[in-house]
């Protein structure tokens, strides 16, 4: 990993292979999935920058609302540009339904809040993006939903927590920022035995590197802000699920609470998807090379990257993911002072709390993205004061290696 086959087109394309959206491979879906041209036959996806729709007569308006006529009525419910994005992402994730949201956090919150009731119990991985742990631990508690956080990589801990009836399970794999890997099949089997719906945050891997539904996940959520846009332009998110979950829980929740994606942002995300395969493979290949260099530097206590043989769950990552993705976590021996020297010495890589950009970005999770957690909780999650999260961009790998090498030398002091 990364494997050669993931980075090059099929070896010998056949002229006889059947063609059509149902058989298209990921790289074709990225460019053409869901494409629905208007009568004007435009090449690129049309941008429908409109909130409402008009009716030729009062009878049609009535039919649109009583359900006898399916058509666009209001962009909080549906919009043609957003629909193309939803269909494309659904095909990539292998999910019957995709609903786009205004941000990744709108997707996470909607996927959970739509299904829980007071008295329910949620079990979640301990290693989560800061806002995800706030939604599960703090927000759900306001509505009488209890949460139990478990040791992310320990299947026995999951089994213990899921010995009791559970409404929903939530996890990220790889997790933000320490790239812990959850046994998707193992946790999904345990969760289903407990009656739970499994929600997987697939933001770090994208559907090209990992499809959680293939391992039993029920609902997949994305922060499209990260690799799907991939160029630091727009916020966006998505929830993917089956028809029943959408009809019973998600659809009504989104329609009436309105965390919808803006049509313009959906159009930007469509352009992002077109190049996702090229980008994510390059991000992964560069990250693997840099992770190997980082791991060998004397200032580094540990480097965490799913593609490194030294990652504690490397074999599991290989069985679930096609490549390691674009994020590396590294911990510097000299703690916070060393981490700050490292960040301040970077000349190409920017200091930023964002990730999933063409530009390489690095941050200090202890004092930024995960500042809200107590010191004890940070340490349990593997976030020490020397930890750096590094989102690998599309710059020349040798330029990045030189920049990182010089910053590591400075970090060593
Ligand atoms: C960034 C991120 C989110 C939140 O996404 P936004 O688009 O910023 O709301 C959720 N989960 C993970 C794993 C993330 O990295």
């Amino acid at each position: 990993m990364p494997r050669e086959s993931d980075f090059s087109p099929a070896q010998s394309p056949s002229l006889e292979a059947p063609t059509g959206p149902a058989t298209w491979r990921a790289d074709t879906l990225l460019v053409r999935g869901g494409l629905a041209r208007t009568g004007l036959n435009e090449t690129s996806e049309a941008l429908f920058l409109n909130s409402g729709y008009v009716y030729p007569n009062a009878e049609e308006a009535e039919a649109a609302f009583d359900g006898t006529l399916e058509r666009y009525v209001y962009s909080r419910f549906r919009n043609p540009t957003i629909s193309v994005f939803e269909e494309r992402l659904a095909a990539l994730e292998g999910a019957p339904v995709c609903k786009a949201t205004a941000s990744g956090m709108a997707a996470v919150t909607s996927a959970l809040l739509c299904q829980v009731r007071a008295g329910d119990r949620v079990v979640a991985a301990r290693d989560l993006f800061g806002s995800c742990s706030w939604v599960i631990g703090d927000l759900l508690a306001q509505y009488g939903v209890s949460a139990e956080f478990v040791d992310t990589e320990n299947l026995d801990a999951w089994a213990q927590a899921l010995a009791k009836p559970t409404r929903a399970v939530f996890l990220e794999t790889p997790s933000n920022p320490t790239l812990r890997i959850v046994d998707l099949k193992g946790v999904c089997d345990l969760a289903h035995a407990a009656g739970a719906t499994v929600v997987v945050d697939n933001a770090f891997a994208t559907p090209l590197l990992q499809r959680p539904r293939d391992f039993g996940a029920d609902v997949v959520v994305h922060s499209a802000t990260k690799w799907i846009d991939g160029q630091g332009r727009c916020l966006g998110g998505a929830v993917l699920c089956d028809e029943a979950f959408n009809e019973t829980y998600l659809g009504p929740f989104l329609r009436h609470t309105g965390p919808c994606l803006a049509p313009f942002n959906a159009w930007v995300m469509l352009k992002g998807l077109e190049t996702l395969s090229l980008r994510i493979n390059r991000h992964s290949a560069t990250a693997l090379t840099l992770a190997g260099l980082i791991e060998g530097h004397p200032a580094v206590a540990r480097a965490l990257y799913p593609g490194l043989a030294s990652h504690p769950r490397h074999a599991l990552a290989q069985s679930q993911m096609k490549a390691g993705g674009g994020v590396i976590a590294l911990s510097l021996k000299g703690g916070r002072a060393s981490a700050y020297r490292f960040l301040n010495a970077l000349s190409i890589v920017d200091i930023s709390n964002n990730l999933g950009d063409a530009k390489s970005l690095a941050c200090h999770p202890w004092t930024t993205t995960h500042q809200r957690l107590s010191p004890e909780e940070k340490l349990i999650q593997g976030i020490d004061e020397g930890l750096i999260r590094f989102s690998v961009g599309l710059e020349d790998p040798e330029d990045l290696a030189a920049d990182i090498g010089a910053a590591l030398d400075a970090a060593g002091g």
Side-chain angles (χ1 to χ4, degrees), residues 113-115 117 167 241-254:
L113 216 47
C114 74
Q115 58 171 317
R117 302 280 181 279
R167 166 66 75 165
C241 59
D242 63 19
E243 301 279 2
F245 184 86
N246 183 50
E247 269 165 40
T248 313
Y249 302 115
L250 184 67
F253 182 91
L254 294 176

Side-chain angles (χ1 to χ4, degrees), residues 120-126 128 136-137 145-151 157-166 168-170:
D120 279 349
R121 178 169 178 274
V122 173
V123 171
R126 175 143 243 150
L128 294 178
I136 293 164
V145 176
S146 66
E148 182 176 341
F149 292 94
V150 304
D151 186 358
W158 283 99
Q160 216 168 13
L162 292 168
K164 286 183 247 170
T166 306
V169 161
F170 184 87

Side-chain angles (χ1 to χ4, degrees), residues 16-32:
E16 282 118 61
T19 185
T23 64
W24 284 348
R25 295 167 180 82
D27 283 10
T28 307
L29 290 171
L30 286 168
V31 178
R32 294 183 174 271

Side-chain angles (χ1 to χ4, degrees), residues 6 19 23 63 79 104 122 136 153 162 192 206 221 232-233 237 267 341 355 376-377 385 407 413:
D6 301 322
T19 185
T23 64
N79 167 284
V122 173
I136 293 164
E153 292 185 330
L162 292 168
H192 292 154
T206 81
V221 294
R233 300 166 297 193
W267 183 86
R341 278 199 301 277
L355 65 90
E376 298 73 33
E377 185 55 38
E385 291 203 58

